[in-house]
Amino acid sequence: NNVEDVGMELLRSVLVRTSSLKTLVLEGTLLTPAGASHVAKVLEQNSSLTSLSLRRNMLGDIGTRAIATALKSNTTLLSLNLSLTHTLVDGARALADALRSNRTLRHLDVSGEWSANVAVAHGQFGNRIADEGVRVLAFALKTNSALASLDVS
């Protein structure tokens, strides 16, 4: 389904008030940074969501930063999938910064390195956090003992 940014804005108004939803999968729903900002509002206000997948969306660093900022105050999310979201080094830095204060996230997936095969297979760019992005995420783990799984493949 193509939820897109407008659909996510509509969903946000409901999701911020629900207390039963545990898992939200928005894979390949054509979200952009604008849609990510709506998802970030959900993360800031929803107290039941434990798993979120935004895989195969064009969030870019702006969208990833919005999600990372929300992670700083979120106390329920255990698993976050940001694979194939066009996250670059700045997005990795924002996630690393969030990991310094977030004590609940257990699994973070930023996999999906960009390649021509990824672009053809998924119709979009993969992530390109490069060595610097991996380095800042690894450094953040020094102060975060909650994260048990980090996928940067």
Side-chain angles (χ1 to χ4, degrees):
N1 288 329
N2 295 338
V3 172
E4 299 183 4
D5 299 334
V6 173
M8 189 59 231
E9 183 177 16
L10 296 171
L11 272 174
R12 181 189 81 193
S13 63
V14 173
L15 295 175
V16 296
R17 292 190 299 263
T18 185
S19 60
S20 60
L21 186 68
K22 301 290 182 201
T23 300
L24 180 59
V25 178
L26 294 166
E27 295 181 359
T29 53
L30 303 179
L31 295 180
T32 68
S37 70
H38 297 304
V39 174
K41 294 292 183 197
V42 171
L43 287 176
E44 290 169 353
Q45 298 175 26
N46 180 288
S47 60
S48 64
L49 195 63
T50 60
S51 179
L52 172 63
S53 181
L54 295 169
R55 184 176 193 276
R56 291 183 309 139
N57 282 290
M58 293 297 288
L59 306 184
D61 281 342
I62 294 170
T64 301
R65 275 196 301 270
I67 299 299
T69 298
L71 281 177
K72 291 179 180 181
S73 61
N74 181 281
T75 59
T76 60
L77 197 67
L78 302 174
S79 178
L80 176 59
N81 186 338
L82 293 173
S83 66
L84 300 169
T85 55
H86 201 149
T87 297
L88 307 174
V89 175
D90 285 344
R93 284 188 188 112
L95 289 168
D97 186 48
L99 288 176
R100 289 182 183 91
S101 58
N102 182 289
R103 297 291 177 243
T104 54
L105 194 67
R106 301 286 182 262
H107 172 77
L108 175 60
D109 185 343
V110 288
S111 66
E113 180 69 23
W114 183 89
S115 71
N117 291 338
V118 170
V120 170
H122 300 288
Q124 61 199 26
F125 294 116
N127 292 341
R128 190 172 239 169
I129 63 172
D131 292 343
E132 174 66 11
V134 172
R135 187 187 68 72
V136 296
L137 286 168
F139 189 76
L141 294 179
K142 289 183 176 184
T143 58
N144 181 308
S145 59
L147 198 68
S149 172
L150 174 63
D151 187 347
V152 294
S153 61

